[in-house]
Amino acid sequence: MTATKLLFKNSRPLKHFIFSLTCVVFAVMLTSCEQNPTAPNEPPKPPGYQEDIYWPSLADSPWPMYRADPQNTGRSKSTGPITGNIIVRIDSLWPASGIAVGEDSTIYFVVHSWWYGFDSGGLIAMRPDGTIKWRFPIYVEENSPSSSPLISSDGTIYVSSNDITGQNNKFFAINPEGNIKWEILLNSKSQIIQYGVNIGLDGKIYAMSRTSGNSALLLAINPFGYVEWELPLSGASYLPADGISFSPDGKTLFVPGYFDSKTVYAVDLETKSIKWTFGSGRSSISATPLIDTQGNIYIVSEGDSAEGRLYSLTEFGSIRWSYKLDNIFQSVQTINPFVMDKSGNIYIGRDTLFCIDYFGRLRWKIGISDDQAYYSGITSPLVVDESGELIFTVGINDQTQLMKVSSEGKLIWQVPFEGLNYSGYNTSPASLFDQYFYPYNPAPTHNPAFIILK
């Protein structure tokens, strides 16, 4: 056997070894990339960093539903107002819901029927310059508010209507041109008056309904206009300012409790049953649970000790941590919906604004109250834009003002709203496209307003 043939013959095991080694190295590289998705020149993301959760059933907009997303973070995927200058103010519309914004920048909200009569009430589609594209007439009384509009990926707008007689207790699907696709008559024994309806990954709409016996019923409505199933939830909340939230995988729905019942219910949507409950104390009057990217749940409760606390729970309902809110909170019922920024920081408050990090530690707190005022405090749900800047309204004596605060707790600007009293029902505003959309729903003795700032 020649030397050349011997070399070729002995190289076959070497070739197999090199091929196997290459496969191992490639597999290790793939595993490393999966564990650390950060680009080579990009710094690693901090613990608790919040990725935007892909939700294909929802419109691709920075604010397509109540509180921005199915996890109710109150976090926009866009920037908010820069200067605080009012560019649109309409005092002839009485808002009855929160804001939703479509992919084409159309603004949707509901106005009361009884302020100027049925012909002026209903679902409003408005351009960013304040001109109205169309109005779909639905009946909404003062004491029976509408759900906030929710926009699905095909542009369908879902919304409810109500009155005290029960004849207009309906749920609608409306297309982007303002034409009805279908409606469901819920009958006099059921009303959807909660702002925060939600949408599953499969396109089903989920809503809490109030029954004639003032009990709560979870409804699952398919995209074709049929109630597929319902689940009685004794002790759950159907109140207007509350809402329901989804886990990141879309398999669990989190429902807040009603006053002295459980603080939160976790509902398994596959088995249509309660997985677990947490708490026995009174929850906030705006008690929509907030869910982070990692699946943790945040809720405010007094607990058995009657201490106001912000709780962070795991997906299984066990306590990650809790933060005791200062005694300056006379009741957790007065706390408006709180928010979480991209870094996992939570902002919550009333007469004091707190920033609590992902691990439950206080970053900072600032006083909102005015010692010279007989009343002062946060009066609207908090919203946060993609840069981490907070927007919210405060009441000082009889006046409403808008505040913008940085992620480090520094006041950026403060804008007064002439003629707007601090009292009333402050439905959820929206912050996006360098603008802020504010629906002011006041007490009956004061004028309503819809305001857009730049």
Side-chain angles (χ1 to χ4, degrees):
M1 182 179 293
T2 64
T4 302
K5 289 181 179 179
L6 182 63
L7 180 62
F8 180 77
K9 180 180 179 180
N10 291 339
S11 68
R12 294 183 65 186
L14 180 62
K15 288 180 180 179
H16 284 296
F17 173 75
I18 293 173
F19 177 75
S20 299
L21 181 62
T22 302
C23 291
V24 170
V25 171
F26 184 66
V28 170
M29 289 174 65
L30 279 179
T31 303
S32 176
C33 290
E34 289 176 357
Q35 292 177 345
N36 184 16
T38 305
N41 296 325
E42 183 181 346
K45 292 170 182 173
Y49 183 81
Q50 300 299 298
E51 301 283 357
D52 293 330
I53 298 172
Y54 177 56
W55 213 260
S57 59
L58 199 59
D60 185 17
S61 158
W63 207 279
M65 60 176 291
Y66 181 75
R67 306 300 295 147
D69 52 50
Q71 287 68 45
N72 281 284
T73 63
R75 181 176 64 245
S76 175
K77 303 178 183 67
S78 179
T79 55
I82 307 300
T83 64
N85 295 326
I86 296 176
I87 57 174
V88 174
R89 174 168 172 160
I90 304 172
D91 292 339
S92 60
L93 297 174
W94 191 301
S97 75
I99 298 290
V101 181
E103 295 183 26
D104 62 353
S105 304
T106 300
I107 308 156
Y108 299 97
F109 61 101
V110 177
V111 296
H112 283 295
S113 301
W114 68 282
W115 181 240
Y116 287 105
F118 178 75
D119 290 341
S120 65
L123 175 66
I124 300 293
M126 179 184 288
R127 301 179 184 88
D129 63 2
T131 58
I132 294 177
K133 293 174 64 176
W134 51 259
R135 179 188 61 85
F136 182 83
I138 60 176
Y139 195 80
V140 183
E141 289 190 345
E142 178 195 9
N143 296 321
S144 300
S146 163
S147 63
S148 292
L150 183 149
I151 310 168
S152 66
S153 56
D154 66 356
T156 301
I157 306 109
Y158 296 98
V159 70
S160 69
S161 70
N162 299 284
D163 66 22
I164 58 175
T165 69
Q167 297 178 3
N168 289 289
N169 294 344
K170 298 179 180 181
F171 194 74
F172 296 89
I174 302 165
N175 69 23
E177 290 73 41
N179 301 313
I180 188 169
K181 295 179 69 174
W182 50 256
E183 67 178 62
I184 301 172
L185 178 62
L186 298 173
N187 72 49
S188 60
K189 297 182 180 179
S190 183
Q191 287 183 313
I192 298 174
I193 62 173
Q194 196 172 74
Y195 295 144
V197 300
N198 216 319
I199 187 169
L201 287 170
D202 58 359
K204 288 190 184 74
I205 302 296
Y206 294 87
M208 292 304 299
S209 171
R210 176 176 67 181
T211 67
S212 57
N214 283 335
S215 186
L217 193 65
L218 175 62
L219 303 180
I221 303 170
N222 68 27
F224 307 104
Y226 299 96
V227 177
E228 282 202 0
W229 56 268
E230 54 189 41
L231 176 67
L233 287 176
S234 177
S237 176
Y238 51 75
L239 294 177
D242 293 344
I244 51 181
S245 311
F246 265 105
S247 61
D249 62 7
K251 295 180 179 180
T252 306
L253 200 60
F254 300 99
V255 181
Y258 182 78
F259 292 110
D260 290 326
S261 63
K262 301 297 183 182
T263 300
V264 63
Y265 298 77
V267 178
D268 188 320
L269 296 182
E270 293 180 346
T271 63
K272 304 176 184 60
S273 62
I274 298 174
K275 295 171 65 174
W276 52 259
T277 64
F278 172 81
S280 58
R282 183 170 299 179
S283 59
S284 166
I285 201 167
S286 300
T288 305
L290 188 158
I291 319 300
D292 68 19
T293 301
Q294 293 75 23
N296 302 309
I297 304 103
Y298 302 82
I299 195 76
V300 176
S301 176
E302 286 185 356
D304 295 330
S305 62
E307 293 179 344
R309 284 183 176 271
L310 172 66
Y311 287 90
S312 175
L313 310 176
T314 70
E315 61 179 309
F316 306 106
S318 59
I319 299 175
R320 283 182 65 226
W321 52 257
S322 70
Y323 182 85
K324 181 180 179 299
L325 301 170
D326 290 351
N327 291 332
I328 201 165
F329 285 91
Q330 297 178 357
S331 170
V332 296
Q333 290 184 64
T334 60
I335 299 173
N336 279 288
F338 46 94
V339 295
M340 175 175 279
D341 67 16
K342 294 284 286 186
S343 298
N345 299 312
I346 302 139
Y347 303 90
I348 184 171
R350 184 172 181 258
D351 44 7
T352 300
L353 178 63
F354 294 82
C355 178
I356 301 166
D357 73 10
Y358 180 74
F359 300 102
R361 301 171 300 202
L362 179 68
R363 291 185 65 225
W364 51 260
K365 62 180 179 179
I366 57 173
I368 300 299
S369 60
D370 184 342
D371 293 338
Q372 304 302 314
Y374 61 82
Y375 173 85
S376 59
I378 297 172
T379 57
S380 74
L382 302 173
V383 299
V384 62
D385 68 12
E386 66 172 1
S387 65
E389 293 179 337
L390 297 160
I391 310 286
F392 54 92
T393 60
V394 297
I396 299 178
N397 288 330
D398 284 332
Q399 188 183 58
T400 293
Q401 300 189 19
L402 184 68
M403 294 182 67
K404 185 175 185 179
V405 175
S406 74
S407 59
E408 300 304 319
K410 304 298 182 183
L411 178 65
I412 299 174
W413 43 253
Q414 190 166 348
V415 177
F417 289 155
E418 297 293 336
L420 297 193
N421 189 280
Y422 74 87
S423 64
Y425 305 96
N426 287 284
T427 55
S428 185
S431 180
L432 65 160
F433 306 141
D434 296 333
Q435 293 178 323
Y436 179 82
F437 307 100
Y438 178 62
Y440 177 67
N441 182 356
T445 54
H446 301 283
N447 290 330
F450 182 84
I451 298 173
I452 302 178
L453 297 98
K454 187 73 174 177

